[in-house]
Amino acid sequence: MDPFFTLLHSFSSSLSDNELSSLKFLCRGKIGKRKLEAVRSGSELFTILLEQQVITSDKVAFLEGLLKSIKREDLLSQLKQFVEEGEVNDPDDEPDVHEKRLQKVAIEVICENVGRDWKMLIRKLGLSEVKMDRILAANPFNLREQLFQSLREWQKWKGKDAKVMLCSLMIPLRDFNF
């Protein structure tokens, strides 16, 4: 299933009737009056916007404006995450406070023990080359920060699955004899 359609469906199901009315009002310049009157859900509205190519998975400025106008910062945040990463993580998929503390300690220990071969570790964990390149560009002269940010990116990507972070990180360390 297309991740963008999934995102729009998620948005649709979280809209109140008042928010849908506001969105319809804001779309008057893009969608004809008759079509707008027939819209009964966010999904119907998004479908029309998609059909008219007002929004697409790589053209979201209009959708951003709509979400800002109805003051749905939560949805706007999810949209920005989708644009940056091509995916959206469920907020319920976040680790608890205790787990975050353990993960922070694990990241610090790993940063202290992994050197120039950090990319091999990160590849073994499955983080994309694109994300690693972005981290390299942002921190060109700081090896420790490159590793730290890569591990943080991996942690965000895994969400609650990062509960196994210690084991997941220790296995590649042992495999590569870091």
Side-chain angles (χ1 to χ4, degrees):
M1 182 173 287
D2 186 309
F4 188 61
F5 293 161
T6 304
L7 179 67
L8 292 177
H9 178 71
S10 164
F11 288 179
S12 173
S13 62
S14 72
L15 293 173
S16 70
D17 290 339
N18 286 338
E19 290 169 334
L20 178 60
S21 295
S22 296
L23 289 175
K24 287 169 55 174
F25 177 80
L26 294 168
C27 289
R28 286 179 313 160
K30 302 283 183 188
I31 301 172
K33 184 178 179 180
R34 283 189 186 164
K35 274 191 177 180
L36 277 175
E37 287 175 355
V39 169
R40 300 285 173 242
S41 70
S43 293
E44 291 176 14
L45 180 65
F46 295 143
T47 298
I48 294 169
L49 292 171
L50 285 165
E51 287 171 354
Q52 296 182 353
Q53 295 190 347
V54 174
I55 60 172
T56 64
S57 61
D58 56 351
K59 183 179 165 188
V60 297
F62 184 74
L63 183 55
E64 281 182 8
L66 291 175
L67 296 175
K68 283 180 188 174
S69 295
I70 64 169
K71 296 180 178 32
R72 286 299 303 265
E73 297 298 323
D74 58 328
L75 301 182
L76 188 59
S77 169
Q78 289 181 27
L79 180 60
K80 287 180 180 179
Q81 180 183 354
F82 174 83
V83 168
E84 290 174 7
E85 302 175 13
E87 58 196 45
V88 177
N89 295 327
D90 186 350
D92 296 334
D93 198 29
E94 292 294 317
D96 62 19
V97 175
H98 176 70
E99 187 63 32
K100 282 184 180 180
R101 214 171 319 151
L102 287 174
Q103 291 173 1
K104 184 178 179 189
V105 169
I107 287 175
E108 288 172 7
V109 168
I110 290 162
C111 285
E112 289 173 11
N113 293 293
V114 176
R116 287 180 281 185
D117 293 328
W118 67 270
K119 286 186 201 174
M120 289 181 1
L121 170 67
I122 299 304
R123 283 186 189 106
K124 183 85 170 170
L125 293 171
L127 196 66
S128 74
E129 291 289 328
V130 172
K131 289 183 182 178
M132 283 196 310
D133 289 344
R134 206 178 312 150
I135 291 165
L136 277 168
N139 306 285
F141 304 111
N142 190 334
L143 186 68
R144 184 178 167 89
E145 189 64 19
Q146 291 168 358
L147 174 58
F148 179 78
Q149 292 303 325
S150 295
L151 290 169
R152 293 287 309 252
E153 193 65 37
W154 178 80
Q155 182 183 18
K156 281 192 328 191
W157 173 49
K158 288 296 184 181
K160 269 193 176 175
D161 290 339
K163 281 184 177 181
V164 295
M165 184 175 186
L166 292 172
C167 292
S168 297
L169 293 175
M170 294 308 153
I171 292 168
L173 284 172
R174 187 181 63 227
D175 289 350
F176 286 113
N177 296 319
F178 281 113

